[in-house]
Amino acid sequence: MSALPLRVLSVIPPMTQLNTPYPSTAYLTGFLRSRGVTSFQEDLALALVLRLLSADGLRAVAARIEALPARKHTPAIQSFVAQQARYLSTIGPVIAFLQGRDSTLAHRIVARNFLPEGPRFNVLDVYVDDDGGDPLGWAFGALGLHDRAKHLATLYLNDLADVLRDAVDSRFEFVRYAESLAGSQPTFDPLAEALAAPTNLVDDTLRELTTAALARHTPTMVLVSVPFPGNVYAAFRIAQTIKAQDPRIVTVLGGGFVNTELRELKDPRVFDYFDYVTLDAGERPLLALMEHVEGKRSRQRLVRTFLRDTDSGAVRYVNMVEPDVAFEEVGTPTWDGLPLDRYLSLLDMLNPMNRFWSDGRWNKLTVAHGCYWKKCSFCDVSLDYIGRYEGASAKVLADRIEAIVQETGQTGFHFVDEAAPPKSLKALAAELIERDAGISWWGNIRFEKTFSPELCELLADSGCIAVSGGLEVASDRLLNLMKKGVSVDQVARVTRAFTDAGIMVHAYLMYGFPTQTVQDTVDALEYVRQLFENGCIQSGFFHRFACTVHSPVGKNPEEYGVTLQPLPPVTFAKNDIGFHDPTGVDHDALGLGLKKAIYNFMHGIGVEEDVRSWFPFKVPRTTVARNRISRALSQRG
């Protein structure tokens, strides 16, 4: 037990988005401060990237390359070596440009004689028009100088990420860093082996940054929030450093990955790094844990917490049932302590919705806890972050928004709900308009009929600039099987209402769902084509269906016509599970055509063509009438 006053440091481990901080530490720090706990936060993901992508960092990379045999010099490495001096002279200005500190550099970047160009720039060859003219004119138009520069600068950073991967750490990526060591990994062995291996430049840099953060804040407890598999390896490296520095510091692991994949944790080696692992909403487990650390609560009275038994050495799960902290009482997130002026606005994929994800710094906020629908058969509806729905009043939400704007000086918000409830959005919109809040916001919704043209106009007036929602497989049969609670015709009318209100619409699409046939897939693409043609959606992306153990499909596969593949014994992570679909469709082959089609649709290309042309092999003619969506739009819902 700690005799020192509690000082809590919440950490974002590499890697997450580079344009804005992942919100978990902001939520936790705001909550803990509302309870009088001395709390700090650090974004070690951003710090790591900025340290590596600096002149000194690139010199260190160059030194590692010198030690490599020539046969290991990939095209990315060869390009870096050949243009090393230019990389060293341009990295500082490019980072400043992407941080918004030197916008005039855009002119030099778009001239294509400032940045060294590596293999990632080869993609531009695809865009050159027939006259050999501007390769990006189709994407950005005549006035998009800043956007062009941002896209080119992003390709430049991606080249450097490839160099880091090829020369320093084969697992390195800006987002999915070493995720294969953790995602759906039944045992801790691969992670344990990686953590026991000699460190590389990335590891050493992260250790230095962690040590500096400990010296800066002198915490007695460190909370490491792991939202994705691509954060796990670095999270354990951070904990490894903490334990080597001062084993008295209490280390706690939590976050979305833990809540989803570590629910059956049994491997005691995890607790060589973390003293405790908590599940689901973190507020109540943290309050109990802090009382325990202060000697006010026994281990037997912890809440939703894994620990290693001091006698047997086995993993125990302790859960004294106590009510969660009400959503209205969790406090206002705070970004105090995070370097908001140092995040990088990137422009990677030429996709309108992807731009919202990677470009600009958004204040992330939740309208409600959980999902008000919680029926979709592909979703982890059995887990707390979806299954326990709880809202907050429009006044509380608007108060939080005003406090965040005052703190950050920035008025852009991303509502990060699984599906923001329309009733709450309507009340919040009215409150924001009444207060003349002046914010811009976007978020995820369900395309349900509640979103009338009048409501869409109200949301636009309150600052809504974009929405995304799941159309999934555009097939009424499969939408019913998915329990989406929407129809294709309804989606058409709702999305058109948003578009007419000046709100951009992105559709999440899915292929490979159980019992989905080739005919289903072709028909779905025809529906999507017509949605673009009729101005209902402006952006979309096809995802391959993955079955998870916490979803209705994973729990009741017989209801969806599939059989699950047996899993090996699980002592670490458990999430994705293979299945056998008797239809036998080659969804991977179809997926290439789907993604090619929608990429072109987003840029107004081929929207009037027969959808069969997007597939490199013979597929059946669509059974969907070519005026199906226009007819739906002419009818009242």
Side-chain angles (χ1 to χ4, degrees):
M1 303 301 164
S2 173
L4 299 173
L6 270 176
R7 294 174 60 85
V8 180
L9 171 63
S10 298
V11 170
I12 304 171
M15 302 294 273
T16 55
Q17 291 172 259
L18 297 178
N19 64 306
T20 196
Y22 192 78
S24 55
T25 64
Y27 293 164
L28 291 172
T29 304
F31 168 71
L32 292 173
R33 288 184 182 178
S34 74
R35 297 299 177 105
V37 179
T38 302
S39 305
F40 312 94
Q41 56 187 326
E42 289 271 352
D43 189 342
L44 293 183
L46 178 68
L48 177 66
V49 168
L50 293 181
R51 180 72 66 86
L52 293 171
L53 299 184
S54 66
D56 287 342
L58 294 186
R59 288 190 189 96
V61 172
R64 301 306 192 277
I65 291 174
E66 289 179 4
L68 287 177
R71 69 177 185 279
K72 292 189 175 182
H73 283 209
T74 63
I77 292 176
Q78 292 170 9
S79 176
F80 176 78
V81 171
Q83 304 180 88
Q84 181 177 324
R86 290 185 65 196
Y87 276 109
L88 291 175
S89 66
T90 55
I91 187 62
V94 169
I95 293 296
F97 167 72
L98 291 173
Q99 290 173 332
R101 295 186 288 114
D102 190 2
S103 62
T104 58
L105 190 66
H107 295 273
R108 294 200 65 191
I109 292 175
V110 298
R112 301 288 297 279
N113 56 13
F114 177 70
L115 297 180
E117 297 186 0
R120 289 283 187 152
F121 284 77
N122 293 340
V123 69
L124 298 180
D125 296 339
V126 178
Y127 306 144
V128 175
D129 59 32
D130 293 337
D131 299 325
D134 181 4
L136 292 178
W138 64 275
F140 299 113
L143 299 178
L145 178 139
H146 195 81
D147 285 350
R148 298 177 197 220
K150 196 173 290 187
H151 183 57
L152 294 169
T154 303
L155 294 176
Y156 165 93
L157 292 193
N158 287 337
D159 269 328
L160 291 174
D162 292 343
V163 174
L164 281 161
R165 184 195 64 230
D166 295 346
V168 176
D169 187 340
S170 61
R171 302 157 303 206
F172 187 84
E173 289 189 55
F174 279 146
V175 177
R176 297 179 173 180
Y177 177 38
E179 70 174 6
S180 63
L181 296 176
S184 297
Q185 188 63 254
T187 79
F188 189 64
D189 290 347
L191 199 52
E193 292 171 9
L195 293 167
T199 57
N200 56 46
L201 175 64
V202 178
D203 298 323
D204 293 340
T205 305
L206 182 58
R207 184 186 65 246
E208 293 169 5
L209 293 168
T210 302
T211 300
L214 295 178
R216 199 156 42 244
H217 302 295
T218 60
T220 58
M221 177 183 288
V222 176
L223 313 178
V224 185
S225 179
V226 177
F228 312 114
N231 302 101
V232 176
Y233 170 74
F236 275 81
R237 279 293 190 194
I238 290 168
Q240 187 179 53
T241 297
I242 294 170
K243 289 304 180 188
Q245 183 87 3
D246 186 350
R248 296 172 301 172
I249 298 174
V250 177
T251 51
V252 187
L253 179 66
F257 169 82
V258 177
N259 300 339
T260 303
E261 302 208 22
L262 298 191
R263 305 191 77 87
E264 299 179 23
L265 180 62
K266 299 182 183 69
D267 198 313
R269 291 176 293 177
V270 169
F271 298 90
D272 293 338
Y273 305 86
F274 290 98
D275 298 300
Y276 304 97
V277 178
T278 66
L279 293 182
D280 300 328
E283 290 86 3
R284 181 58 65 191
L286 275 178
L287 291 178
L289 189 53
M290 288 187 297
E291 288 183 0
H292 169 62
V293 169
E294 292 176 319
K296 301 174 183 177
R297 179 185 287 242
S298 69
R299 285 161 66 97
Q300 289 72 31
R301 297 180 61 238
L302 293 175
V303 178
R304 294 197 302 269
T305 300
F306 287 103
L307 49 83
R308 182 163 55 188
D309 189 89
T310 52
D311 296 324
S312 68
V315 177
R316 286 179 53 204
Y317 180 62
V318 181
N319 184 19
M320 180 177 176
V321 178
E322 294 185 12
D324 276 293
V325 177
F327 184 66
E328 286 211 354
E329 298 174 6
V330 296
T332 300
T334 178
W335 280 264
D336 178 49
L338 297 179
L340 300 185
D341 58 343
R342 302 188 69 201
Y343 287 87
L344 307 173
S345 286
L346 306 178
L347 188 50
D348 194 349
M349 292 177 61
L350 302 181
N351 172 313
M353 180 54 72
N354 185 268
R355 174 166 197 164
F356 285 102
W357 282 102
S358 63
D359 186 13
R361 204 205 70 74
W362 302 93
N363 298 308
K364 293 181 182 284
L365 191 67
T366 308
V367 174
H369 181 280
C371 177
Y372 69 98
W373 179 249
K374 54 187 175 187
K375 295 179 183 179
C376 297
S377 57
F378 54 83
C379 195
D380 292 340
V381 296
S382 62
L383 299 184
D384 175 82
Y385 80 97
I386 293 175
R388 180 172 62 85
Y389 174 70
E390 187 181 0
S393 71
K395 180 183 183 304
V396 166
L397 293 173
D399 286 346
R400 290 174 182 173
I401 287 170
E402 287 186 342
I404 291 168
V405 171
Q406 184 174 8
E407 177 188 285
T408 66
Q410 294 172 315
T411 59
F413 283 80
H414 174 198
F415 296 154
V416 294
D417 301 72
E418 295 297 310
K423 183 177 179 180
S424 296
L425 287 180
K426 181 178 181 180
L428 177 58
E431 186 75 16
L432 292 172
I433 293 169
E434 174 68 24
R435 298 188 186 198
D436 196 19
I439 69 166
S440 302
W441 63 268
W442 59 285
N444 200 47
I445 61 163
R446 293 181 63 251
F447 293 132
E448 60 171 74
K449 60 184 179 182
T450 309
F451 289 107
S452 63
E454 294 76 19
L455 178 53
C456 292
E457 289 285 354
L458 179 71
L459 298 182
D461 289 344
S462 75
C464 181
I465 55 175
V467 294
S468 57
L471 175 53
E472 319 309 349
V473 177
S475 155
D476 285 334
R477 178 184 76 83
L478 291 172
L479 286 172
N480 286 331
L481 187 60
M482 290 177 174
K483 298 182 175 63
K484 282 292 295 184
V486 299
S487 68
V488 174
D489 287 4
Q490 178 181 312
V491 169
R493 288 188 285 269
V494 169
T495 53
R496 183 57 185 268
F498 276 111
T499 298
D500 288 346
I503 297 170
M504 196 203 78
V505 182
H506 173 87
Y508 289 113
L509 301 157
M510 184 184 293
Y511 64 101
F513 192 75
T515 73
Q516 183 176 354
T517 64
V518 175
Q519 186 69 64
D520 288 329
T521 302
V522 173
D523 288 350
L525 185 56
E526 173 62 17
Y527 279 125
V528 171
R529 184 196 69 79
Q530 292 187 34
L531 289 170
F532 275 100
E533 184 181 44
N534 287 275
C536 297
I537 62 177
Q538 296 76 47
S539 177
F541 190 81
F542 273 101
H543 302 260
R544 174 67 188 268
F545 168 76
C547 182
T548 66
V549 295
H550 306 295
S551 69
V553 176
K555 288 182 172 295
N556 303 292
E558 65 284 351
E559 295 181 13
Y560 301 89
V562 297
T563 55
L564 301 182
Q565 297 175 3
L567 287 172
V570 174
T571 56
F572 187 57
K574 181 180 180 181
N575 190 37
D576 291 356
I577 183 169
F579 64 94
H580 172 70
D581 188 337
T583 55
V585 176
D586 186 350
H587 294 294
D588 288 336
L590 290 167
L592 295 174
L594 294 173
K595 292 178 180 179
K596 183 179 180 181
I598 200 164
Y599 187 83
N600 281 274
F601 292 165
M602 284 188 293
H603 298 105
I605 300 171
V607 178
E608 296 181 356
E609 293 182 13
D610 188 317
V611 293
R612 290 177 292 178
S613 66
W614 298 109
F615 301 98
F617 46 83
K618 188 175 181 180
V619 296
R621 181 191 302 271
T622 181
T623 63
V624 179
R626 287 186 69 85
N627 66 343
R628 170 65 185 275
I629 295 301
S630 61
R631 192 169 68 244
L633 293 173
S634 68
Q635 300 169 350
R636 298 184 65 86

